[in-house]
Amino acid sequence: MAAPSVPAAAREPARLGLRGRVNALLGATLPPRPSSREARLRQAAAVITGPLPDRATVAVVNVKGGVGKTPLALALAATVATHRGAGSVVAVDLGEAGSSFADRIATPPTDEQNTLSLLTQLDAAADVHSATLTRYLARQPSGEDTLAAGTDTARASSYDDVDRLAALLGRYRELLVVDTGNSHLADRWRWAIAAAHAVIVPVPLRHDAAAAAQRTLHTMAATRSDVLTRTVVVITDGPGDAPVVETDAVDAFTALGVPVCRMPFEPRFASGDRITLRGLRRPTRDALTVLAATAVELMAPGRN
């Protein structure tokens, strides 16, 4: 995945690679090469800690299930939290009943840590304080919070319900990362597209996933005219890839004006295991850092 266009990071001495070893052995202060992995990650980290708009929201979207939306959303939230600090990010499950969200987070939620319980609290109180909100969120190892949908999503799924929920979360958290479901007719899905400052569309290299991603982009554009200017497609490698799909798929996404990034194969995403950053491979963590920076760039205040 290529690094986004960002200002050069501070030229601190290199800590990785050959230059890092030379600095450690000789007490030198060689900076990393501009094209090095270390320089790219430093640049991305500087962007991730940059300014965000009010109620900043990233939506992870694809109308097809089984394409990796949930693990990507959780890993992205964890990545941002490692740079912006604990309690800065909340990952929210806006999927339908039967979502795997609660099964993929590292620290499972308690019975009351879900959107329905929080919305009930909202109905019972004119003002919900930060300490009250925290009771309904499950804190994860990297410092991000998570909010599962609960078992009765039908009772907490109207457009206005989700908007009230997001308004509260946005009062106390800098960034919402929302994991969406598979129905473009659902109010939750439509809210995510309308509210998102950045949209990420994961696409495994399979014919069905690529076709679904194209439908997703067209449906998004029909829902909100400017949304594709804030969207990035992430092609994810994995078992069963059909490389022949890539050229046609990338051409189709590019024709819509949507940039395409790549994510290396991550066994933990594919296995159904719970997601922690420490459990992911280093190339995955590096790609997530660059993807997070790309999303923050898309969300930059004042961006057209």
Side-chain angles (χ1 to χ4, degrees):
M1 183 181 297
S5 291
V6 296
R11 293 176 64 82
E12 298 177 359
R15 294 186 293 272
L16 304 177
L18 177 60
R19 291 192 174 199
R21 292 193 294 273
V22 170
N23 288 343
L25 288 172
L26 303 180
T29 57
L30 295 171
R33 292 185 181 277
S35 60
S36 68
R37 166 179 168 265
E38 184 173 8
R40 293 197 302 273
L41 293 178
R42 286 188 186 185
Q43 291 170 352
V47 173
I48 294 170
T49 57
L52 293 172
D54 292 340
R55 289 181 60 173
T57 302
V58 176
V60 182
V61 177
N62 193 322
V63 294
K64 179 170 176 52
V67 297
K69 293 191 295 289
T70 298
L72 182 58
L74 294 174
L76 184 69
T79 299
V80 175
T82 62
H83 293 281
R84 296 191 74 95
S88 59
V89 184
V90 56
V92 183
D93 181 10
L94 295 186
E96 295 92 11
S99 162
S100 65
F101 186 95
D103 298 321
R104 302 304 300 270
I105 56 180
T107 303
T110 65
D111 289 342
E112 72 168 358
Q113 289 175 329
N114 57 68
T115 56
L116 180 58
S117 296
L118 184 49
L119 282 167
T120 300
Q121 171 67 30
L122 280 175
D123 289 338
D127 187 27
V128 178
H129 298 287
S130 178
T132 303
L133 173 66
T134 300
R135 293 205 302 267
Y136 296 94
L137 306 178
R139 177 61 56 88
Q140 302 302 309
S142 294
E144 76 281 13
D145 292 310
T146 58
L147 181 61
T151 56
D152 191 358
T153 58
R155 292 180 59 198
S157 61
S158 77
Y159 193 104
D160 289 343
D161 281 343
V162 178
D163 196 56
R164 287 190 305 131
L165 187 70
L168 174 62
L169 294 170
R171 191 189 311 167
Y172 298 110
R173 298 296 184 269
E174 295 180 311
L175 175 66
L176 278 63
V177 178
V178 297
D179 177 27
T180 62
N182 306 326
S183 172
H184 70 277
L185 300 176
D187 276 357
R188 288 173 166 227
W189 193 95
R190 298 179 70 83
W191 178 90
I193 301 305
H197 295 87
V199 178
I200 296 172
V201 181
V203 185
L205 283 180
R206 304 194 310 260
H207 289 283
D208 58 345
Q214 292 178 45
R215 291 196 301 274
T216 300
L217 294 175
H218 286 290
T219 303
M220 286 165 46
T223 303
R224 176 181 162 191
S225 60
D226 70 335
V227 71
L228 297 187
T229 65
R230 294 182 175 273
T231 299
V232 59
V233 165
V234 180
I235 291 180
T236 57
D237 294 337
D241 281 352
V244 69
V245 173
E246 183 166 7
T247 299
D248 289 344
V250 171
D251 287 348
F253 302 141
T254 303
L256 292 170
V258 177
V260 179
C261 299
R262 292 198 69 98
M263 178 75 67
F265 173 61
E266 173 49 56
R268 204 167 190 87
F269 282 9
S271 68
D273 290 334
R274 296 188 182 275
I275 301 298
T276 63
L277 275 186
R278 293 183 62 182
L280 305 180
R281 297 164 63 242
R282 190 179 73 181
T284 304
R285 297 196 304 270
D286 290 354
L288 285 164
T289 299
V290 175
L291 179 60
T294 302
V296 172
E297 278 197 319
L298 290 172
M299 292 188 289
R303 183 181 184 275
N304 294 327

